């Protein structure tokens, strides 16, 4: 790889995910002390977060394209996620200051040096490398999805962790692809707007993309925390104990809690706490732990009701009736 290329990582966050971001930043700087890190503000609620800029040595990237990207997001929004349009700001990274980069959401911890994962783009000749896949979270079952799969496309990758290169897409190209995608909006996931959008763009261009675990090898195929597996450390690295499984004793380089709230019973909470409380006194740990217990006791009954099939069905029935 040319020495002239600028490598680094973009991340998106705001004050709403402040605690998640503390763990993310501590973990990132543990394994990547010198790698360039740039915040793309999720929205304008970033006052607390910006106070961490010097401590964690990150830059802030604000681009004039944000309103146009948010407009794309708004066009895809079906009323499920009020903040959905802000997710599209992350795609300004394609014309940002980094030549080769990784994008990461803040609801995860970094467990390895990320530079080799960024360098893999040129080393293996890929335009875009992603991580976890779940096609149902991107494309609805139907003719469009079937045709993509028939052509060897349509992986359905997660939009919160990927590596790519500057200039792969332009703002004008995104706007053109968005107009085409809206013609088949009913065949895209109704909720995960930014995820469906970037998958559609990569599939329609198309770009040469692959999965980190398949391209590099020796790493876990997924980093989703909710999967019941044991994480252990050895020689300063994190591995997965998944006896009998495909990822047994493979390295884990990212651990993310997408779709899971931050609470006392979150899976692999010990890994999160290891980075969240790094360099903090034990008293802070105890206070936060007690608060988490209280929060759980208050919110858990509501969460149980929300997930109940009958209550949830009734809620959405009433919601649809009111909207008519």
């Amino acid at each position: 790889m040319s020495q002239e290329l600028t490598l680094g990582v973009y991340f998106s966050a705001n004050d709403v995910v402040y605690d998640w971001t503390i763990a993310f930043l501590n973990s990132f700087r543990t394994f990547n002390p010198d790698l360039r890190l740039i915040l793309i503000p999720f929205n304008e609620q970033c006052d607390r977060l910006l106070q961490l800029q010097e401590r964690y040595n990150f830059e802030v990237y604000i681009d004039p394209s944000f309103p146009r990207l948010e407009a794309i997001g708004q066009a895809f929004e079906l009323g499920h996620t009020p903040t959905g349009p802000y997710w599209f700001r992350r795609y300004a990274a394609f014309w940002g200051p980094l030549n080769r980069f990784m994008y990461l959401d803040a609801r995860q911890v970094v467990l390895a040096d990320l530079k080799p994962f960024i360098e893999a783009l040129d080393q293996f000749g890929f335009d875009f490398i992603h991580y976890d896949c779940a096609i149902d979270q991107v494309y609805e079952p139907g003719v469009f999805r079937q045709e993509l799969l028939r052509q060897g496309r349509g992986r359905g990758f997660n939009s919160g962790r990927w590596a790519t290169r500057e200039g792969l897409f332009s703002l004008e190209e995104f706007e053109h692809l968005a107009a085409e995608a809206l013609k088949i909006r009913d065949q895209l996931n109704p909720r995960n707007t930014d995820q469906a959008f970037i998958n559609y763009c990569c599939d329609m261009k198309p770009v040469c993309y692959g999965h980190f675990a398949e391209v590099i090898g020796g790493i876990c195929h997924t980093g989703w925390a909710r999967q019941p597996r044991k994480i252990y450390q050895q020689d300063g690295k994190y591995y997965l104990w998944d006896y009998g499984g495909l990822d047994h004793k493979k390295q884990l380089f990212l651990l993310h809690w997408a779709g899971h709230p931050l609470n006392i019973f979150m899976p692999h909470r010990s890994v999160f706490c290891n980075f969240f409380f790094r360099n903090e006194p034990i008293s802070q740990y105890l206070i936060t732990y007690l608060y988490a217990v209280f929060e759980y006791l208050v919110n858990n009954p509501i969460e149980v009701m929300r997930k109940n099939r009958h209550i949830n069905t009734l809620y959405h029935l009433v919601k649809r009736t009111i909207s008519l």
Side-chain angles (χ1 to χ4, degrees):
M1 180 176 292
S2 170
Q3 295 297 315
E4 298 179 358
L5 293 180
T6 303
L7 277 64
V9 172
Y10 294 99
F11 74 105
S12 177
N14 66 0
D15 290 345
V16 175
V17 293
Y18 183 84
D19 288 349
W20 286 108
T21 308
I22 290 292
F24 167 80
L25 290 170
N26 279 331
S27 68
F28 182 89
R29 284 302 178 209
T30 296
F31 292 96
N32 302 269
D34 302 314
L35 188 61
R36 193 170 175 185
L37 181 63
I38 302 177
L39 167 68
I40 298 178
F42 183 77
N43 57 17
E44 310 314 312
Q45 297 176 261
C46 292
D47 292 343
R48 291 182 69 198
L49 203 59
L50 292 177
Q51 295 176 20
L52 302 172
Q53 190 172 352
E54 184 176 348
R55 177 180 175 184
Y56 292 103
N57 187 27
F58 65 82
E59 305 164 45
V60 180
Y61 174 43
I62 298 176
D63 193 84
S65 66
F66 284 173
R68 289 169 68 178
L69 289 169
E70 290 168 26
I72 295 175
Q74 188 59 52
F76 279 84
E77 184 57 51
L78 299 179
H80 297 294
T81 317
T83 58
Y86 296 120
W87 295 343
F88 283 71
R89 285 187 175 193
R90 68 188 64 184
Y91 299 130
F94 283 101
W95 46 89
L98 300 175
N99 305 126
R100 302 288 186 273
F101 61 88
M102 184 177 285
Y103 169 81
L104 297 173
D105 283 345
R107 294 190 180 191
Q108 59 191 317
V109 291
V110 177
L111 303 175
D113 177 6
L114 296 181
K115 190 176 179 181
F117 295 90
I118 302 172
E119 292 176 332
L121 290 161
D122 291 292
Q123 181 181 356
F124 296 103
F126 282 84
D127 294 316
F128 190 103
I129 309 179
H130 59 78
Y131 201 22
D132 302 70
C133 294
I135 194 169
D136 286 336
Q137 299 297 313
V138 173
Y139 296 116
E140 295 288 282
V143 175
F144 182 75
R145 172 167 146 176
Q146 292 170 4
E147 181 60 22
L148 283 179
L149 294 173
R150 190 186 68 80
Q151 296 175 14
R153 292 182 280 170
R155 295 292 298 274
F157 58 82
N158 185 279
S159 61
R161 53 216 108 254
W162 37 271
T164 188
R165 60 177 175 81
E166 177 194 17
L168 183 62
F169 293 102
S170 67
L171 177 58
E172 292 73 23
E173 193 171 12
F174 273 149
E175 290 176 328
H176 171 74
L177 287 164
E180 295 299 311
L182 287 169
K183 297 175 183 178
I184 57 159
R185 181 65 184 88
D186 62 325
Q187 297 187 61
L188 306 177
N189 185 280
R191 292 178 178 271
N192 302 324
T193 52
D194 72 296
Q195 189 159 286
F197 175 71
I198 193 62
N199 271 268
Y200 177 89
C201 291
C202 287
D203 286 329
M204 290 299 101
K205 187 163 183 171
V207 304
C208 178
Y209 68 82
H211 191 293
F212 277 119
E214 296 169 0
V215 172
I216 299 174
I219 61 174
C220 295
H221 198 270
T222 177
W224 195 33
R226 291 185 70 171
Q227 300 204 39
R229 303 168 299 179
K230 178 69 175 178
I231 298 172
Y232 67 97
Q233 284 184 269
Q234 182 176 311
D235 300 326
K237 297 181 180 180
Y238 284 79
Y239 296 90
L240 198 67
W241 186 267
D242 186 26
Y243 189 76
L246 297 178
D247 282 341
H248 183 51
K249 299 175 73 173
K250 289 186 178 180
Q251 184 180 1
L252 185 66
F253 78 103
L254 292 173
L255 180 64
H256 68 91
W257 287 267
H260 200 288
L262 198 168
N263 60 41
I264 192 173
F265 293 111
M266 62 191 282
H268 301 299
R269 181 177 173 83
S270 61
V271 179
F272 172 84
C273 289
N274 178 50
F275 294 105
F276 179 70
F277 293 108
R278 184 149 296 195
N279 302 320
E280 296 291 339
I282 189 64
S283 59
Q284 182 62 40
Y285 177 86
L286 294 174
I287 291 171
T288 305
Y289 184 83
L290 290 173
Y291 175 78
V293 172
F294 174 77
E295 183 182 43
Y296 175 80
L297 293 175
V298 172
N299 294 331
N300 189 56
I302 298 175
E303 185 69 9
V304 169
M305 288 191 294
R306 188 180 71 84
K307 291 183 177 180
N308 180 275
R309 180 170 63 89
H310 300 292
I311 295 175
N312 189 272
T313 301
L314 179 61
Y315 167 78
H316 286 288
L317 178 62
V318 172
K319 184 177 179 182
R320 284 196 299 270
T321 303
I322 293 175
S323 64
L324 292 177

